Amino acid sequence: VDRVGVLCAVAMGCLSSAVLVANNLRDIGTDAQSGKITLAVRLGDARTRTLYLGLLAVAGLTTFALALLATPWCLAGLAAVPTAVRAARPVRAGLLGRELIPVLRDTGLTMLIWAVAVAAALFLAG
């Protein structure tokens, strides 16, 4: 596995983890009440939100690293930024519970858009 493969894995891992963190963020209240000790329950609301935003940021920064190491066409992965911003808005606004369900959808879409764009860029670059 070369550096490009590692960077792709890091970005996809961050986006996949962001979906899970968003789900756990949504459920902090009910999980804590039922005695379920998830990472989000342990971290608390504020730090879980920071983790989520950090995961999105690392995926975005990885896109720039891929553009430097592989091909500038990897910047096509930035096509996922508008969806990532839409996903992050409710998290940054402090919304709770069911209001966070769109975050799951939008984070998954971000992951899909990023993966397709970067895969196409790497394929076309040769």
Side-chain angles (χ1 to χ4, degrees), residues 5-92:
V6 169
L7 288 172
C8 286
V10 166
M12 286 305 296
C14 285
L15 292 170
S16 296
S17 294
V19 172
L20 298 172
V21 168
N23 187 55
N24 285 336
L25 174 63
R26 182 194 66 188
D27 296 336
I28 284 178
T30 56
D31 286 350
Q33 283 178 340
S34 68
K36 210 184 223 184
I37 307 299
T38 64
L39 178 62
V41 170
R42 288 184 188 267
L43 290 176
D45 187 83
R47 288 190 290 180
T48 300
R49 290 173 191 278
T50 300
L51 174 60
Y52 174 82
L53 297 171
L55 289 167
L56 291 183
V58 169
L61 292 173
T62 303
T63 305
F64 289 105
L66 281 167
L68 291 173
L69 290 174
T71 174
W73 289 106
C74 283
L75 292 175
L78 296 178
V81 168
T83 311
V85 168
R86 187 174 68 203
R89 236 179 241 130
V91 174
R92 292 188 71 223

